[in-house]
């Protein structure tokens, strides 16, 4: 298929591009480079051996989107483009609603104008909010507790209404848990701008000497060892989940929301210890007070993905840590 990846140079988008190209799809990328690097395109071209047409631009640019969809004869879109920092979303709500919701509406208008009605949407477990039960299944109430999560939920609601208004639409919303890790070649990985908010990129920068120590945000939660527990999933497993979602999208129409996680909650200490096995030394750390907005524990029920996508995460925590560390060493060697 001819597939447009919006935000395709980002962390999840770039890894998904490698899997789709491997499966023989023609992958086209649009990215505004707000939270990604142009050299990722060269890495993707060398990993895949494919040209991968690239357009630098913003999904809110309706004329550009229509031109790409038409000229590249796009058959379906995977929509990754969006802002994703929970902390920033709280201080810049309008920027988040404009980018994440406004950008999605512009994309959908362009698709509708060209009669392209197959979409995979990059959603997030943050749409669930505080757990009323665990693991989260897809029927769990949707009560996001931050602006970022609300932007993702609003797009999901728009997509549901769109598919109810026109049954030609086939839409799959993938709710990601905590993606970490990197492609095993070490050429692409997670590379946030500035000081990382998320645990794994922060750990990598402590290990490579960019940051002095890890701050552990709370060790007094009611969890297995007092630190927060999350469902970390290897980004390559996540990428393969998108390829599986394409097959579902081609088999049915309507709207479907599916969790992409491992179903295994892992604590901060468990992740740190696994990462220390990867780097063969200890990570300096200081226990700090809890980070506001953090939930103690959340993880995915993964039965629906297994049933509808015939997909399950295959890679373990050590593989996630090893691959992240390999990527960090590569970029530090060239930075
Ligand atoms: C994980 C755990 C922290 C950093 C994020 C995004 C969310 C979603 C998933 C996109 C928590 C602890 C962290 C640090 C720490 N992404 N921690 N020290 O908060 O679960 O969610 O990824 O959809 O939008 O916000 O991930 O990696 O920030 O935190 O102790 O320096 O690590 O308290 O328990 P989070 P995270």
């Amino acid at each position: 298929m001819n597939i447009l990846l919006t935000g395709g140079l980002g962390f999840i988008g770039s890894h998904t591009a490698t899997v789709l190209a491997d499966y023989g799809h023609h992958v086209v990328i649009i990215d505004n480079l707000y939270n990604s690097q142009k050299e990722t395109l060269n890495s993707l071209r060398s990993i895949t051996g494919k040209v991968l047409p690239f357009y630098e631009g913003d999904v809110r640019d309706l004329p550009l989107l229509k031109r790409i969809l038409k000229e590249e004869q796009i058959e379906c879109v995977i929509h990754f483009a969006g802002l994703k920092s929970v902390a920033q979303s709280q201080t810049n709500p309008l920027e988040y609603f404009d980018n994440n919701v406004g950008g999605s509406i512009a994309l959908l208008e362009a698709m509708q104008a060209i009669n392209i009605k197959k979409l995979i949407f990059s959603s997030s477990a943050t749409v669930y909010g505080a757990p009323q039960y665990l693991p989260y299944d897809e029927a769990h109430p949707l009560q996001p507790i931050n602006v970022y999560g609300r932007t993702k939920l609003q797009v999901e609601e728009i997509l549901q209404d769109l598919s109810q208004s026109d049954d030609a639409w086939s839409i799959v919303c993938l709710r990601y848990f905590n993606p970490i890790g990197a492609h095993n070649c070490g050429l692409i990985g997670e590379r946030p701008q500035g000081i990382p908010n998320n645990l794994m990129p922060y750990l990598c920068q402590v290990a490579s000497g960019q940051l002095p120590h890890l701050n552990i945000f709370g060790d007094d939660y009611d969890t297995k060892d007092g630190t927060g527990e999350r469902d970390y999933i290897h980004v390559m497993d996540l990428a393969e989940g998108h390829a599986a979602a394409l097959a579902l999208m081609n088999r049915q129409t309507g709207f479907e929301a599916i969790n992409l996680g491992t179903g295994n909650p892992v604590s901060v200490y468990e992740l740190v210890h696994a990462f220390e096995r990867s780097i063969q030394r200890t990570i300096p750390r200081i226990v700090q007070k809890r980070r506001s907005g953090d939930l103690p524990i959340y993880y995915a029920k993964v039965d629906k993905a297994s049933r509808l996508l015939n997909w399950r995460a295959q890679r373990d925590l050590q593989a996630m840590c090893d691959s992240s560390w390999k990527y960090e060493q590569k970029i530090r060697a060239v930075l």
Side-chain angles (χ1 to χ4, degrees):
M1 291 183 83
N2 298 337
I3 305 172
L4 175 65
L5 272 57
T6 72
L9 294 188
F11 176 39
I12 317 294
S14 57
H15 288 78
T16 304
T18 65
V19 170
L20 297 179
D22 276 355
Y23 282 35
H25 293 293
H26 175 60
V27 173
V28 178
I29 292 171
I30 179 174
D31 200 303
N32 65 5
L33 303 178
Y34 176 82
N35 191 24
S36 54
Q37 294 82 24
K38 184 76 177 293
E39 64 258 30
T40 302
L41 182 63
N42 299 330
S43 302
L44 287 179
R45 285 172 172 166
S46 85
I47 293 168
T48 63
K50 304 272 178 72
V51 169
L52 304 180
F54 170 70
Y55 297 81
E56 183 175 346
D58 193 295
V59 287
R60 291 166 291 185
D61 182 343
L62 204 51
L64 173 62
L65 275 175
K66 287 180 180 174
R67 181 165 68 81
I68 298 169
L69 292 171
K70 215 178 288 178
E71 290 178 5
E72 297 289 348
Q73 298 180 321
I74 297 300
E75 297 165 273
C76 95
V77 177
I78 305 183
H79 182 32
F80 294 103
L83 303 178
K84 65 170 192 172
S85 162
V86 169
Q88 277 176 11
S89 75
Q90 297 293 99
T91 53
N92 302 293
L94 288 182
E95 185 186 20
Y96 269 68
F97 283 108
D98 186 26
N99 272 276
N100 293 2
V101 182
S104 299
I105 291 171
L107 171 66
L108 293 166
E109 286 176 340
M111 291 176 70
Q112 187 166 260
I114 318 284
N115 198 30
I116 299 164
K117 299 185 174 179
K118 292 185 171 188
L119 176 81
I120 293 174
F121 174 58
S122 165
S123 191
S124 166
T126 41
V127 299
Y128 292 119
Q132 293 181 19
Y133 55 82
L134 284 172
Y136 286 134
D137 61 12
E138 289 83 353
H140 186 284
L142 304 175
Q143 296 164 333
I145 56 172
N146 53 61
V147 169
Y148 167 77
R150 279 193 284 279
T151 68
K152 289 296 184 181
L153 178 55
Q154 284 187 16
V155 176
E156 286 202 14
E157 289 168 344
I158 290 167
L159 293 172
Q160 276 188 306
D161 288 341
L162 186 59
S163 74
Q164 275 153 21
S165 73
D166 173 355
D167 60 13
W169 282 91
S170 178
I171 297 167
V172 179
C173 281
L174 298 177
R175 293 173 181 163
Y176 306 159
F177 280 71
N178 286 57
I180 60 173
H183 192 283
N184 57 20
C185 71
L187 291 176
I188 56 173
E190 186 173 14
R191 201 164 144 201
Q193 315 275 26
I195 305 282
N197 290 307
N198 296 140
L199 180 57
M200 179 55 92
Y202 201 103
L203 265 177
C204 286
Q205 292 195 23
V206 172
S208 63
Q210 318 306 311
L211 294 166
H213 60 266
L214 172 70
N215 296 304
I216 294 186
F217 296 138
D219 66 351
D220 57 352
Y221 285 107
D222 180 15
T223 59
K224 62 181 92 167
D225 58 23
T227 62
E229 294 182 34
R230 295 291 184 273
D231 186 332
Y232 298 98
I233 177 172
H234 198 298
V235 66
M236 290 307 290
D237 279 325
L238 199 71
E240 288 164 6
H242 287 73
L246 272 181
L248 174 68
M249 194 192 59
N250 285 323
R251 284 201 306 273
Q252 66 178 43
T253 57
F255 175 94
E256 204 74 67
I258 302 174
N259 289 339
L260 289 189
T262 65
N264 307 315
V266 167
S267 75
V268 174
Y269 279 138
E270 285 173 326
L271 180 57
V272 170
H273 295 151
F275 190 75
E276 289 175 330
R277 284 194 291 276
S278 299
I279 65 173
Q280 298 286 302
R281 55 193 149 88
T282 54
I283 284 280
R285 65 261 208 172
I286 301 171
V287 175
Q288 308 283 4
K289 64 182 182 20
R290 297 178 178 187
R291 180 173 65 176
S292 78
D294 270 354
L295 294 169
I297 172 172
Y298 65 80
Y299 58 102
K301 190 163 179 69
V302 295
D303 298 8
K304 187 172 181 182
S306 176
R307 177 168 47 82
L308 287 189
L309 304 182
N310 188 29
W311 168 93
R312 268 198 186 278
Q314 303 296 320
R315 296 161 177 90
D316 65 12
L317 187 64
Q318 202 60 57
M320 298 179 212
C321 294
D322 291 347
S323 59
S324 288
W325 178 232
K326 181 175 180 180
Y327 176 66
E328 178 71 14
Q329 290 174 293
K330 287 253 179 152
I331 56 171
R332 296 304 161 200
V334 294
L335 273 183

